[in-house]
């Protein structure tokens, strides 16, 4: 029988908040996690973005807060300021109708530290939400006292590890009582994270929720070759075609994001930018303006692909194939949310064909299209390429041609150049085979 939110024994104010959010029934991750949290179990929960994990831990943990309790009761860490802000806003929304004033502290970099210290001197918050660096900084100076917390949540643990914050999280967790509850949420569980888990978790319950589809079936997933085309002109044509509501354009580096945004602005478009190189105040302002729909077009790095929730994204354009292919799902998952239709378009050059094959082997299918007469139409270009005789990965036309010339002893040093070229290609092939196995 399908569970309802009313089956979990949540307080009335939380049920009212759920109704305001128009949540009809718990997602699979919420159904499993809420029960286990209420059983006081340590949890390692693995689920993809958009699965509803934020409310999976906030609802049962906020439900356990006690009125009049002195000191911090709950700690939640996030690897970035934006994710911390998002968690803070979600907690505020859930507790705004609580029968008593629940004090939720937001501790992220870029905010006035002195003001935070003054507030902590007056009282400790019931709930601490923030980035590991700022939380540990305030703990180390004895302004923030976390040893009273009954539970700690590490959200986006794999991203926390990737960004080098696991050592700070380790030090925060070390201050908790032995009987406190530790909850780890992550899209993946890297091997390097396991020593931390073994250090603090005793027989944790592992919950893994697989999405039925890698990307939502409401997303039209399109692939376009940039061969013979100017990439900026192609992006401009795509974003001005039809009537997109909000377009999120991804690039791999801050420099490339700034370049694309500048080129589109010069073509008369109002473009927002999100990447880690912006000052904290600029990033907060940019996120606020994006949510207010001040921009129809937003260019971003993968910072916006993991967890930053921008509502109403109708189109995602991958201006470049992500360097870490696992981010492809996170990027595309920014559209097609809440069963709404979405369009994802990935631009690739002939040299990125191997990456596209690896993405396809993850179970993702593309519709191959090109632009003709200001419309997207089907193309057989890539399929035609595949029908050509397969000479194997080791064959390379350029090297074959060079080898043929080398036999004629055309120039001194030509054979050496050929050997270097061949070694480079062999290295690329070995790398490709290794990635395919992974």
């Amino acid at each position: 029988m399908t569970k309802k939110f009313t089956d979990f024994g949540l307080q009335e104010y939380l049920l009212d908040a759920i109704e305001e959010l128009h949540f009809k029934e718990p997602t699979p991750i919420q159904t499993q996690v809420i029960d286990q949290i209420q059983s006081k179990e340590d949890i390692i929960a693995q689920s993809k973005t958009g699965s509803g994990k934020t409310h999976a831990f906030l609802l049962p943990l906020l439900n356990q807060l006690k009125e009049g309790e002195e000191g911090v009761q709950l700690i939640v860490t996030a690897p970035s300021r934006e994710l911390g802000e998002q968690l803070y806003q979600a907690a505020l929304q859930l507790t705004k109708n609580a029968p008593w004033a629940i004090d939720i502290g937001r501790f992220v970099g870029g905010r006035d530290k002195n003001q935070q210290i003054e507030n902590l001197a007056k009282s400790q918050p019931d709930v601490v939400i923030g980035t590991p660096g700022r939380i540990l900084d305030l703990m180390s100076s004895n302004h923030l006292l976390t040893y009273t917390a009954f539970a700690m949540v590490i959200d986006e643990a794999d991203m926390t590890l990737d960004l080098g914050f696991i050592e700070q999280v380790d030090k925060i967790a070390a201050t908790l009582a032995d009987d406190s509850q530790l909850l780890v949420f992550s899209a993946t569980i890297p091997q390097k994270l396991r020593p931390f888990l073994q250090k603090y978790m005793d027989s944790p319950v592992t919950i893994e929720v697989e999405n039925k589809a890698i990307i939502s079936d409401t997303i039209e997933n399109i692939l376009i070759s940039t061969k013979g085309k100017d990439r900026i002109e192609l992006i401009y044509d795509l974003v001005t075609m039809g009537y997109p509501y909000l377009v999120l354009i991804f690039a791999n580096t801050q420099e490339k994001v700034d370049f694309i945004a500048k080129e589109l602005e010069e073509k008369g478009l109002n473009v927002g930018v999100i990447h880690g190189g912006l000052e904290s105040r600029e990033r907060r302002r940019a996120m606020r303006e994006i949510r207010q729909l001040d921009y129809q077009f937003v260019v971003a790095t993968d910072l916006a692909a993991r967890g930053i929730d921008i509502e109403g994204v109708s189109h995602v354009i991958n201006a470049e194939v992500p360097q870490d292919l696992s981010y492809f799902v996170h990027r595309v998952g920014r559209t097609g949310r809440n069963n709404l239709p979405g369009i994802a378009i990935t631009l690739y050059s002939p040299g990125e064909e191997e990456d596209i094959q690896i993405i396809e082997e993850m179970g993702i299918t593309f519709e191959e299209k090109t632009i003709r007469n200001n419309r997207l139409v089907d193309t057989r270009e890539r399929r035609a390429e595949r029908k050509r005789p397969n000479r194997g990965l080791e064959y390379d036309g350029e090297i074959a041609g060079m080898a043929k010339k080398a036999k004629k002893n055309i120039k001194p040093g030509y054979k050496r150049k050929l050997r270097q070229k061949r070694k480079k290609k062999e290295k690329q092939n070995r790398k490709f085979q290794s990635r395919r196995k992974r």
Side-chain angles (χ1 to χ4, degrees):
M1 189 177 69
T2 304
K3 277 205 167 189
K4 300 178 180 178
F5 284 109
T6 52
D7 297 330
F8 295 116
L10 299 174
Q11 295 182 51
E12 198 64 36
Y13 79 90
L14 290 172
L15 293 175
D16 290 343
I18 290 168
E19 191 171 337
E20 286 183 16
L21 289 167
H22 305 293
F23 291 171
K24 302 301 181 186
E25 58 184 38
T27 64
I29 189 73
Q30 289 166 355
T31 298
Q32 295 187 54
V33 166
I34 292 174
D35 275 337
Q36 295 296 344
I37 288 178
Q38 290 175 332
S39 299
K40 309 295 184 184
E41 300 283 357
D42 285 352
I43 294 172
I44 301 172
Q46 188 173 346
S47 68
K48 301 296 182 185
T49 184
S51 60
K53 62 181 174 57
T54 298
H55 290 88
F57 61 76
L58 281 181
L59 284 168
L61 292 172
L62 294 174
N63 197 53
Q64 296 178 47
L65 297 178
K66 295 179 180 177
E67 184 178 4
E69 194 83 2
E70 290 189 10
V72 174
Q73 299 186 57
L74 171 63
I75 305 168
V76 183
T77 69
S80 73
R81 300 168 187 174
E82 287 78 12
L83 290 170
E85 179 69 28
Q86 217 165 272
L87 289 169
Y88 173 73
Q89 294 298 333
L92 283 183
Q93 197 281 332
L94 290 174
T95 57
K96 67 179 182 179
N97 296 320
W100 54 282
I102 297 175
D103 185 2
I104 300 174
R106 168 181 45 184
F107 303 99
V108 297
R111 292 200 166 265
D112 190 338
K113 181 181 171 183
N114 292 328
Q115 184 62 53
Q116 291 176 342
I117 290 173
E118 286 182 25
N119 293 338
L120 289 170
K122 298 172 185 175
S123 65
Q124 296 287 302
D126 298 299
V127 180
V128 169
I129 296 176
T131 48
R134 177 55 63 93
I135 291 174
L136 183 61
D137 188 16
L138 293 168
M139 286 171 55
S140 300
S141 60
N142 290 322
H143 292 105
L144 179 61
L145 309 176
T146 56
Y147 60 89
T148 54
F150 68 80
M152 176 175 172
V153 178
I154 303 166
D155 194 20
E156 303 289 0
D158 53 351
M159 191 176 176
T160 301
L161 179 70
D162 289 343
L163 295 176
F165 297 141
I166 202 67
E167 186 176 340
Q168 288 104 316
V169 171
D170 190 335
K171 291 177 180 178
I172 297 168
T175 66
L176 302 180
D178 292 339
D179 60 350
S180 61
Q181 196 174 11
L182 187 61
L183 312 165
V184 174
F185 289 81
S186 190
T188 60
I189 306 295
Q191 193 61 37
K192 290 182 179 180
L193 189 61
R194 297 198 178 278
F196 171 83
L197 301 177
Q198 292 167 357
K199 181 178 179 180
Y200 291 105
M201 306 182 91
D202 184 23
S203 303
V205 174
T206 300
I207 297 172
E208 185 172 354
V209 175
E210 293 186 6
N211 290 3
K212 293 180 182 178
I214 296 177
I215 61 174
S216 172
D217 56 11
T218 64
I219 297 172
E220 186 179 358
N221 193 36
I222 295 169
L223 185 67
I224 296 179
S225 172
T226 62
K227 186 177 180 180
K229 305 178 184 75
D230 180 276
R231 197 175 292 251
I232 295 296
E233 292 295 334
L234 196 51
I235 294 170
Y236 178 78
D237 289 343
L238 288 169
V239 300
T240 55
M241 189 183 299
Y243 303 95
Y245 183 73
L246 177 60
V247 182
L248 193 52
I249 304 165
F250 284 107
N252 292 337
T253 64
Q254 296 174 16
E255 293 77 16
K256 199 59 177 282
V257 165
D258 289 336
F259 172 75
I260 293 172
K262 179 175 176 290
E263 292 291 312
L264 293 179
E265 283 175 346
E266 288 181 357
K267 290 179 176 293
L269 300 182
N270 192 20
V271 182
V273 168
I274 292 289
H275 60 60
L278 299 177
E279 292 291 331
S280 177
R281 184 175 297 176
E282 290 179 297
R283 277 160 66 182
R284 287 202 304 273
R285 187 186 71 245
M287 287 302 301
R288 183 174 65 252
E289 290 172 345
I290 290 166
R291 290 192 173 106
Q292 292 171 179
L293 298 179
D294 291 347
Y295 302 108
Q296 188 180 5
F297 312 101
V298 179
V299 191
T301 57
D302 285 311
L303 173 69
R306 281 293 296 269
I308 296 178
D309 196 11
I310 301 173
E311 291 186 5
V313 176
S314 60
H315 292 64
V316 165
I317 295 178
N318 291 317
E320 301 175 289
V321 177
Q323 292 168 339
D324 181 346
L325 296 182
S326 65
Y327 271 88
F328 179 87
V329 176
H330 294 295
R331 289 182 178 187
V332 172
R334 295 301 97 196
T335 188
R337 298 169 80 85
N338 300 320
N339 292 318
L340 294 173
I343 295 175
I345 301 172
T346 299
L347 307 182
Y348 79 101
S349 63
E352 294 170 318
E353 174 69 35
E354 294 172 356
D355 288 335
I356 298 301
Q357 288 180 25
I358 293 170
I359 292 170
E360 288 177 323
E361 287 168 8
M362 293 162 58
I364 293 169
T365 58
F366 292 97
E367 296 178 44
E368 297 169 35
K369 294 185 181 289
T370 190
I371 297 178
R372 194 171 296 141
N373 298 325
N374 203 36
R375 291 174 56 242
L376 284 173
V377 297
D378 293 335
T379 178
R380 296 181 177 274
E381 182 178 332
R382 189 160 167 260
R383 280 170 281 182
E385 283 286 333
R386 289 177 172 179
K387 288 180 181 178
R388 291 181 182 177
N390 182 13
R391 297 171 177 172
L393 284 172
E394 295 301 322
Y395 178 83
D396 185 276
E398 183 182 358
I399 289 179
M402 290 174 67
K404 191 174 180 180
K405 289 181 182 179
K407 290 178 182 178
K408 299 179 181 179
N409 297 317
I410 294 177
K411 287 183 181 178
Y414 200 89
K415 290 183 179 180
R416 176 174 51 81
K417 186 178 179 183
L418 170 63
R419 285 195 298 271
Q420 291 173 347
K421 192 80 173 178
R422 182 176 284 142
K423 284 181 180 179
K424 183 178 178 181
K425 287 290 181 181
E426 287 173 351
K427 184 178 179 181
Q428 289 175 342
N429 286 334
R430 286 195 299 271
K431 184 179 178 182
F432 173 57
Q433 293 287 12
S434 175
R435 290 173 73 175
R436 288 189 66 168
K437 288 178 182 177
R438 289 203 299 272

